[in-house]
Amino acid sequence: MNRRSRQRFAYWHEILLAGLLSCLLVWAWRTDPAFVSRDAQVELSTHVWELALLALPMTLIVITAGIDLSVGSAMALCAVTLGLTYEAGVPPLVGSLLALLVGTAAGALNGLFVAKVRVHPLIVTLATLAVYRGIAEGVSLGRPVSGFPDSFGFLGRGEVGGVPLPGLIFAVLAVAFSIVLAKTPFGRCLYALGHNETAARFSGIAVDRVKLWLYTLSGAMTGLAGVLLVARRNTAKADLGAGMELDVITAVVLGGTSIFGGRGNLVGTVLGVLLIHEAREFVSWHWQRDELNLVVIGALLILSVLVQRVLSSGRQEERH
Amino acid sequence: MEQPLVRIANLSKSFGGVQALIEVGLDVAPGEVHALCGENGAGKSTLNKVLSGSVVPDSGSVTFAGKPLRTGSVAASEAAGIAILHQESAAFPHLNAEDNLFVGREPMRLGGLLLDRASMRRQTREQLDRLGETLNARKPLGELTFAQRQMVSLARALSRSCRLLIMDEPTASLSAREMAVLFDLIRQLRSDGVSILYVSHRLEEVFELADRVTVLRDGRKVETRPVSELDRGELVRLMVGRDVRQPGQTRATAPIRPPASPLLRVQNLTRHGAFHDISFSVHAGEIVGMAGLVGAGRSEVARALFGIDRPDGGGAELAGSPLPLGSPPEAIRRGLALVPEDRQHQGLALPMTIGENLSLAVLRSVTRRGFFSRKLEMVLAERLIGELSIHTPGPALPAESLSGGNQQKVLLGKWLAASPRVLILDEPTRGIDVGAKAEVHRLMRELAGKGVGILLISSELPEILSMSDRILVMREGALAGELNRGEATQERVLGLALPDAGPTAAVGDATSRPDDSEQRSRPRGRLLLRRLAQQREYGVLALLALTVAVVAAVNPAFLKLDNLRDMLVHVAPAAIVACGLTLVIVTREIDISVGSLMGLLAAVVGILTSPQRVGASVAVGVLVTLLAGTGVGFVTGLLVTLGRVPSIIVTLGMLTALRGVTEMTMRGEWITELPAGLRFWGIGTLGGVPVCLWVAAAVIALTSAITRVTPLGRRLYAVGSSPRSAFLAGLSERKLKLFAFTFTGLLTALATLVSAPQLSVIESGTGVGFELLVVTCVVVGGTSINGGKGTVFGSTLGVLLLGIVATVLIFLKLGEMSTYWERAIQGAFILVAVLADHLARRRSAVEVGA
């Protein structure tokens, strides 16, 4: 049995990430100063907001030792909902609300299977990844919908006081999520669930209800992300966000949230998102080869967990 | 005087400050039945585990057949000739009896390549006949009754020629007939010169079988005596001790209970397989003790009252109003609290801090206006730490840094914070030191004094006797009796708790055979459906036949040979990879990178062999592709086994990285010309049948053979069925999983070779979505994501089913819509499959998990 009697400094990982980020930015500045200019960064930041938004609920889910692979597909489904309703004459704001509803429903379905049918979230969300994407493709027949009014586009492209609007929305939500995680009983339940689901049940925590809410919340966020994405790109297509779930999970795991549950926070996630974003954008900027990104992200994901494992090798992992 | 077979000298072992064995010494002669007796916690299991190699003693030695025994090694003990029948099952629920008997040391033919099935069957039958067991040796163990599983475990222990057989409570759930057979066997073994170390609470068995008996008490050996010199009363007295150690003061005055209505009233509570018709009450300020042997059903009653398990009948009332059962939050709200017996797994979240653990059950009360108040939590924690004298520098330390006794106090404190009206304590002083124990007892009395009703479940007789106002004694799932404080003695309690030899009571039968009665009462139609759901392969086959029939009726062109052949060619790659993925999922892992790997390998073979590019020979192209695929699979496996990175992460990362490498290699260009030699692989025919079908058939046959007739195959299923039992049997989880991943890599390469030529172009998008398709086929085909279950046959059926569905969409003239809906349908298939699994599992007796 491990006895850790000294208090651990809890923020090594975040400091490490901040360090990596700084190194990256310094190197980028030395190589290509235009990259780190304010204008360039603001411009590039438009690529990251959906990823950042989805990383918020994903952090919570991974803390409970769960996973949600369907976020990209659910987002596409919401986007398609918005597009098709707009085509049918519904004002985009109403369409956005419908999209939010669809996302929430999608998340709730995940939650039902995870909590009530008690299927491993990996399998459920692997299946819904296909189902939601398939429905999006089937219903829209692959056709894009564009031509949204500028007023709507403001949601995705507008700035308020020099800060992109999606960025503001993200900031507000990030703070809200942090507060929920760190300062509410619900957040405490999540950590307990991740550490020891059995003990959580025995402690009177309504584990099934928590899980249901969590996945539903994730679904709602995919709705929001979908709406913002459509507003930004002025187009709603069924293939939006393909592969996004991988980026989100990488950002969360990179940010220090343990895939086994019980540990993690949103500061780390935000740093993880930033790190991935800057690495990716710089690779595109400098080498102009998007494919290299994929390799970098994939390798980062594996490495971050490998390092976590090596560092915590004192922990008992499998009980026999 | 003959030399003893086993000589144990000065054996000591402590677990976290609690002495389990203190300088124990004993001898076992060859050909002797030596009984080991003592109360729960006396040290018997620890002694057994030292002998069998699972536990390393702190000091002392074991000499076996004149030679020192290397302790702490299961292999060394087995090699020396020690076999053990564990009390808790170390079996594989998904494997049948034959496999359970031989996993890890299978009889083999052809130099270790094939299983000697005939020999296995024969030997299994022999062993089972020896035990008088007529069970079906082909059924998975999880579908047998508990008694039958015990017999199989026994058969496994016996199938090795051993010199010492340790049996820990072997008759726990056996009927009279099975027990008689067992006793004959034991006598037979004894006359063959095998020694038996026999642990049992059933003293009649000790008197019937044993030559000598050793009594342990509180970790020490009391005495070893020939059985002929003892009678039951004396044996009990030895177990219990003439001078009963008083752990603390008895209650000074027996509080007079006003004839008020009880605080907690339990009525006819029943749960199949656990307990039956339990009724009792607890009054305010009363401490009711619940005594009984391990497995008597006490913890199960507690769990049912608290709402963790749902009872099958009966009810309870708390403070006069009915207590809704099945919801712990509700129970807490009404004022009921349970301190569970397993503090590590059920009680505390060890990595969390002491303060966090203390507030876990009362989160609402440390919340102000929706926000969690650290200050309130700190106040609560410090108060509890003080009240309970928890020895810790502060509440911010992780709970796992505390000693056992202090951890138990934290667990208690957590529930005290909930201010319960009725507190159920399950083994509250197990494994903690004397000082902490005394404090817990003091606390209990204080609480009772304040009017809290306490139900104390304990296996320690002195504790029960000194603390309880009334004692309920449970035996084999029923209430055997009730004793008041005045009339209770250790002998009387033990007398009620110990089962008699002979046929177990009615509830014992209910305990052992739940599914038989269930089956009898179900109508035949539902039985059939259940079988279909459980035997997934049959269900899929039925669905397959149905679909084909329907489509053929709608559009007869479907049944044309050309069309069928095209369809099979189309699904051949998926069928090939599904074989590998079946093995991976059976071992409780997953691989979602196969599609990306395929894309990469397609690029590799394309670049190498196309005259547009490198233009190497087909042979080179094929070889490199096979090597590359195997290599990537191997690396994936290494990361999962050695790196201990969860397979979902590794393969998720691989999925992206490989896709990136592919795109970088292809640089956005397409390959359109492939050499004829390569095209032969995919589109060529051999004897009229396309080559790809030959390859697929060969792979399916090979993988099927691996799973059915090789030791490797059986071990893969064993590892997935129960990693813990696999560990106990000495299997290498790492090597087995590494094989599964490497094999899948090889098969992916093969699938690429077979499919690439079918495409008119190779581009970097090749293979996208493939992994989902294959996982769907495997899961639909009956392979369980929890491991241990699934067949190559089922996966192939899954592939065929999904292939037909894809073709159907075309034939139903949906046109281009079919491709769009294909993915949704695949995903829906998985959801339906897991739903079906869930419904089937709820009624099935198969155990899942380690």
Side-chain angles (χ1 to χ4, degrees):
Chain A
M1 189 168 64
N2 243 337
R3 306 260 182 110
R4 275 171 231 202
S5 43
R6 63 177 175 84
Q7 217 165 337
R8 274 181 308 217
F9 177 61
Y11 297 104
W12 283 121
H13 195 99
E14 285 76 9
I15 291 192
L16 181 65
L17 282 177
L20 273 174
L21 190 57
S22 318
C23 290
L24 177 63
L25 287 174
V26 167
W27 180 47
W29 174 65
R30 304 275 302 269
T31 321
D32 200 338
F35 180 73
V36 292
S37 70
R38 190 189 166 282
D39 287 338
Q41 284 293 311
V42 168
E43 170 72 33
L44 291 174
S45 78
T46 56
H47 301 166
V48 83
W49 300 123
E50 293 81 34
L51 167 64
L53 274 173
L54 292 176
L56 297 176
M58 185 70 81
T59 309
L60 268 54
I61 288 180
V62 175
I63 285 177
T64 63
I67 199 168
D68 188 346
L69 293 174
S70 68
V71 287
S73 307
M75 191 174 79
L77 186 58
C78 300
V80 161
T81 309
L82 178 53
L84 289 178
T85 51
Y86 179 64
E87 238 184 13
V90 177
L93 273 183
V94 177
S96 302
L97 281 176
L98 284 173
L100 264 173
L101 264 171
V102 166
T104 311
L109 183 66
N110 281 337
L112 268 174
F113 267 89
V114 170
K116 297 293 177 204
V117 184
R118 305 255 173 123
V119 185
H120 197 285
L122 179 63
I123 292 294
V124 174
T125 56
L126 195 59
T128 51
L129 173 153
V131 172
Y132 298 155
R133 177 78 56 187
I135 297 179
E137 287 176 349
V139 163
S140 68
L141 296 177
R143 287 180 306 109
V145 173
S146 7
F148 291 88
D150 280 341
S151 53
F152 180 67
F154 183 74
L155 260 181
R157 295 189 296 267
E159 289 187 10
V160 175
V163 179
L165 184 54
L168 271 179
I169 298 179
F170 169 71
V172 168
L173 283 172
V175 169
F177 269 81
S178 303
I179 293 179
V180 166
L181 189 58
K183 296 215 181 305
T184 63
F186 183 74
R188 181 57 62 79
C189 287
L190 296 179
Y191 283 109
L193 241 175
H195 275 303
N196 187 341
E197 190 173 315
T198 313
R201 257 183 233 275
F202 270 88
S203 305
I205 292 178
V207 168
D208 294 341
R209 202 146 26 106
V210 168
K211 285 186 180 178
L212 188 56
W213 275 111
L214 203 51
Y215 286 90
T216 308
L217 178 64
S218 177
M221 291 296 278
T222 62
L224 180 60
V227 165
L228 286 178
L229 187 57
V230 169
R232 170 163 70 80
R233 306 253 297 246
N234 196 17
T235 183
K237 253 181 84 164
D239 67 357
L240 290 176
M244 176 156 289
E245 46 276 332
L246 174 82
D247 291 346
V248 176
I249 292 173
T250 306
V252 168
V253 171
L254 194 60
T257 303
S258 167
I259 200 71
F260 300 101
R263 285 191 305 126
N265 60 58
L266 286 163
V267 171
T269 299
V270 169
L271 284 172
V273 167
L274 269 176
L275 199 50
I276 287 188
H277 167 64
E278 296 293 347
R280 215 174 28 186
E281 294 304 330
F282 186 63
V283 165
S284 296
W285 179 286
H286 193 67
W287 283 283
Q288 256 116 51
R289 297 184 64 179
D290 285 337
E291 316 85 66
L292 194 51
N293 285 328
L294 295 172
V295 181
V296 167
I297 306 275
L300 262 180
L301 178 60
I302 297 179
L303 276 174
S304 61
V305 179
L306 195 55
V307 166
Q308 253 180 31
R309 294 301 249 155
V310 167
L311 284 182
S312 72
S313 53
R315 276 241 238 147
Q316 70 171 143
E317 56 297 327
E318 271 155 274
R319 299 181 239 262
H320 278 307
Chain B
M1 166 75 162
E2 256 183 285
Q3 201 187 26
L5 178 65
V6 187
R7 164 155 286 160
I8 298 174
N10 260 312
L11 209 61
S12 295
K13 176 70 189 176
S14 70
F15 292 105
V18 180
Q19 290 279 63
L21 289 175
I22 307 172
E23 290 166 12
V24 172
L26 70 88
D27 287 353
V28 179
E32 173 189 23
V33 177
H34 193 114
L36 200 55
C37 287
E39 298 180 285
N40 290 335
K44 311 185 297 290
S45 297
T46 311
L47 186 66
N48 290 340
K49 285 182 184 158
V50 168
L51 283 172
S52 70
S54 314
V55 165
V56 181
D58 295 334
S59 60
S61 67
V62 179
T63 312
F64 194 82
K67 295 199 280 264
L69 177 73
R70 183 160 65 95
T71 52
S73 160
V74 174
S77 294
E78 280 186 1
I82 301 177
I84 180 166
L85 180 66
H86 292 277
Q87 195 181 8
E88 322 103 39
S89 163
F92 302 98
H94 298 90
L95 302 183
N96 62 25
E98 288 172 15
D99 291 327
N100 264 280
L101 243 67
F102 291 107
V103 164
R105 15 155 251 124
E106 301 87 347
M108 301 193 252
R109 290 187 299 145
L110 282 192
L113 214 55
L114 294 180
L115 288 173
D116 189 348
R117 275 240 174 252
S119 168
M120 279 170 70
R121 199 165 309 158
R122 190 180 28 88
Q123 285 188 54
T124 306
R125 202 69 261 158
E126 265 171 32
Q127 297 297 340
L128 290 175
D129 285 345
R130 226 170 144 193
L131 298 173
E133 228 356 290
T134 54
L135 57 86
N136 184 348
R138 306 299 210 95
K139 263 175 129 174
L141 229 63
E143 289 178 23
L144 300 177
T145 67
F146 185 77
Q148 288 171 323
R149 289 203 285 274
Q150 278 283 72
M151 289 310 230
V152 170
S153 297
L154 183 58
R156 181 181 168 97
L158 289 174
S159 63
R160 299 157 201 246
S161 61
C162 58
R163 302 170 74 166
L164 172 69
L165 176 61
I166 307 172
M167 304 175 88
D168 201 340
E169 303 280 1
T171 59
S173 286
L174 299 184
S175 70
R177 185 190 60 80
E178 284 153 352
M179 270 176 15
V181 166
L182 181 65
F183 291 174
D184 281 339
L185 186 72
I186 291 177
R187 290 185 194 104
Q188 169 83 37
L189 285 170
R190 174 173 52 193
S191 58
D192 286 343
V194 177
S195 302
I196 301 191
L197 190 58
Y198 192 87
V199 178
S200 177
H201 279 291
R202 297 186 176 180
L203 303 182
E204 284 68 26
E205 293 171 11
V206 172
F207 285 103
E208 189 171 337
L209 289 172
D211 302 310
R212 289 190 298 162
V213 59
T214 295
V215 176
L216 294 181
R217 201 195 322 140
D218 293 326
R220 285 185 203 277
K221 183 179 94 163
V222 177
E223 255 187 77
T224 301
R225 295 262 288 271
V227 168
S228 50
E229 290 178 21
L230 289 172
D231 62 20
R232 185 186 164 119
E234 220 173 302
L235 182 55
V236 170
R237 238 167 290 141
L238 279 173
M239 283 168 62
V240 150
R242 229 163 284 257
D243 45 351
V244 178
R245 192 176 44 86
Q246 293 290 16
Q249 298 164 326
T250 51
R251 299 208 15 203
T253 46
I256 299 159
R257 293 292 123 239
S261 54
L263 200 48
L264 172 71
R265 199 217 300 266
V266 179
Q267 290 152 318
N268 307 106
L269 207 61
T270 301
R271 187 151 189 268
H272 293 315
F275 53 84
H276 172 76
D277 209 19
I278 306 291
S279 303
F280 65 89
S281 26
V282 177
H283 296 82
E286 190 180 29
I287 298 183
V288 175
M290 204 179 231
L293 301 175
V294 170
R298 300 166 296 156
S299 299
E300 286 77 1
V301 169
R303 286 211 306 267
L305 280 173
F306 187 60
I308 299 284
D309 301 327
R310 236 177 232 282
D312 294 314
E317 266 179 27
L318 189 63
S321 48
L323 176 69
L325 296 171
S327 161
E330 194 56 46
I332 298 174
R333 216 188 323 265
R334 299 297 180 100
L336 181 67
L338 167 63
V339 177
E341 65 176 325
D342 185 346
R343 70 173 157 265
Q344 281 199 344
H345 296 129
Q346 299 167 339
L348 298 174
L350 288 173
M352 291 176 85
T353 69
I354 297 168
E356 285 166 354
N357 271 286
L358 283 172
S359 59
L360 201 53
V362 292
L363 290 174
R364 226 166 286 255
S365 70
V366 290
T367 308
R368 282 284 165 274
R369 279 173 295 178
F371 287 115
F372 191 83
S373 163
R374 287 224 178 249
K375 193 161 139 252
L376 283 178
E377 180 185 61
M378 201 58 60
V379 165
L380 174 70
E382 310 229 316
R383 173 168 72 85
L384 289 168
I385 290 177
E387 270 178 30
L388 294 161
S389 311
I390 301 176
H391 299 134
T392 175
L397 288 174
E400 57 195 351
S401 66
L402 293 174
S403 70
N406 283 306
Q407 280 183 2
Q408 190 67 21
K409 288 195 210 173
V410 170
L411 187 51
L412 265 171
K414 163 177 158 185
W415 288 112
L416 289 182
S419 304
R421 301 162 84 165
V422 175
L423 181 63
I424 307 177
L425 297 159
D426 198 346
E427 307 285 359
T429 59
R430 174 189 280 169
I432 69 180
D433 58 280
V434 180
K437 196 184 280 202
E439 284 171 53
V440 170
H441 288 168
R442 178 186 56 82
L443 195 67
M444 281 171 62
R445 289 191 200 99
E446 249 178 61
L447 284 171
K450 292 193 193 141
V452 176
I454 296 184
L455 181 64
L456 168 67
I457 298 174
S458 173
S459 298
E460 248 189 79
L461 283 188
E463 180 177 52
I464 289 246
L465 285 170
S466 69
M467 297 297 300
S468 318
D469 298 315
R470 274 187 299 133
I471 300 178
L472 303 165
V473 184
M474 276 195 73
R475 181 176 75 210
E476 293 178 322
L479 268 178
E482 188 176 316
L483 297 167
N484 276 321
R485 157 174 291 272
E487 52 188 1
T489 64
Q490 294 209 14
E491 284 93 343
R492 276 175 117 162
V493 174
L494 258 186
L496 281 172
L498 293 171
D500 312 312
T504 48
V507 74
D509 284 337
T511 313
S512 15
R513 290 166 217 279
D515 32 324
D516 283 356
S517 56
E518 243 186 81
Q519 288 206 310
R520 254 180 274 124
S521 59
R522 287 263 165 80
R524 288 194 63 99
R526 287 183 66 187
L527 209 60
L528 186 64
L529 270 179
R530 190 156 81 97
R531 287 237 17 127
L532 274 184
Q534 283 177 356
Q535 289 280 58
R536 175 65 65 74
E537 289 82 1
Y538 297 133
V540 178
L541 200 52
L543 196 54
L544 198 57
L546 189 63
T547 317
V548 171
V550 166
V551 176
V554 169
N555 192 336
F558 182 75
L559 283 181
K560 280 235 256 296
L561 205 61
D562 278 353
N563 176 57
L564 287 177
R565 191 194 57 201
D566 284 344
M567 192 196 75
L568 287 176
V569 163
H570 185 68
V571 299
I576 294 174
V577 178
C579 294
L581 216 51
T582 307
L583 296 185
V584 168
I585 296 185
V586 154
T587 61
R588 288 194 189 192
E589 302 290 350
I590 194 163
D591 189 342
I592 54 173
S593 66
V594 287
S596 301
L597 180 56
M598 216 162 127
L600 178 62
L601 292 174
V604 164
V605 78
I607 291 178
L608 277 179
T609 60
S610 167
Q612 287 174 321
R613 302 293 189 94
V614 174
S617 73
V618 171
V620 166
V622 167
L623 193 60
V624 171
T625 306
L626 289 175
L627 280 175
T630 313
V632 171
F634 185 70
V635 168
T636 305
L638 272 183
L639 285 168
V640 172
T641 55
L642 278 185
R644 291 175 299 143
V645 182
S647 53
I648 178 64
I649 294 289
V650 175
T651 55
L652 199 52
M654 282 285 190
L655 180 150
T656 326
L658 292 175
R659 178 70 49 197
V661 171
T662 311
E663 291 192 2
M664 283 168 68
T665 323
M666 296 291 290
R667 283 180 285 214
E669 290 154 17
W670 292 357
I671 297 175
T672 47
E673 269 185 53
L674 289 174
L678 193 61
R679 295 172 77 76
F680 174 73
W681 275 95
I683 322 186
T685 60
L686 209 59
V689 174
V691 170
C692 59
L693 291 186
W694 284 116
V695 172
V699 167
I700 293 173
L702 175 67
T703 316
S704 213
I706 290 179
T707 57
R708 281 171 200 269
V709 304
T710 64
L712 172 65
R714 291 293 96 205
R715 292 181 191 189
L716 284 169
Y717 282 89
V719 158
S721 178
S722 170
R724 178 181 157 267
S725 304
F727 172 74
L728 288 175
L731 300 182
S732 170
E733 193 175 317
R734 273 189 193 163
K735 287 198 204 142
L736 291 166
K737 289 185 176 180
L738 194 54
F739 169 76
F741 281 101
T742 311
F743 188 57
T744 303
L746 173 63
L747 290 184
T748 310
L750 215 50
T752 313
L753 290 172
V754 149
S755 70
Q758 286 178 37
L759 311 165
S760 43
V761 302
I762 294 179
E763 41 99 17
S764 61
T766 307
V768 170
F770 184 69
E771 53 276 328
L772 176 73
L773 171 67
V774 179
V775 170
T776 308
C777 299
V778 170
V779 170
V780 164
T783 303
S784 166
I785 206 68
N786 292 312
K789 180 166 150 330
T791 58
V792 170
F793 176 57
S795 300
T796 310
L797 284 181
V799 171
L800 286 174
L801 184 60
L802 270 115
I804 288 191
V805 166
T807 322
V808 159
L809 290 175
I810 298 176
F811 263 78
L812 289 181
K813 307 235 167 45
L814 289 175
E816 62 170 27
M817 288 245 311
S818 65
T819 42
Y820 293 124
W821 287 106
E822 203 173 325
R823 276 225 258 185
I825 293 181
Q826 282 170 12
F829 260 97
I830 294 190
L831 291 179
V832 169
V834 294
L835 205 52
D837 265 342
H838 174 73
L839 295 171
R841 216 187 317 135
R842 277 220 291 226
R843 292 172 163 81
S844 156
V846 179
E847 283 167 36
V848 168

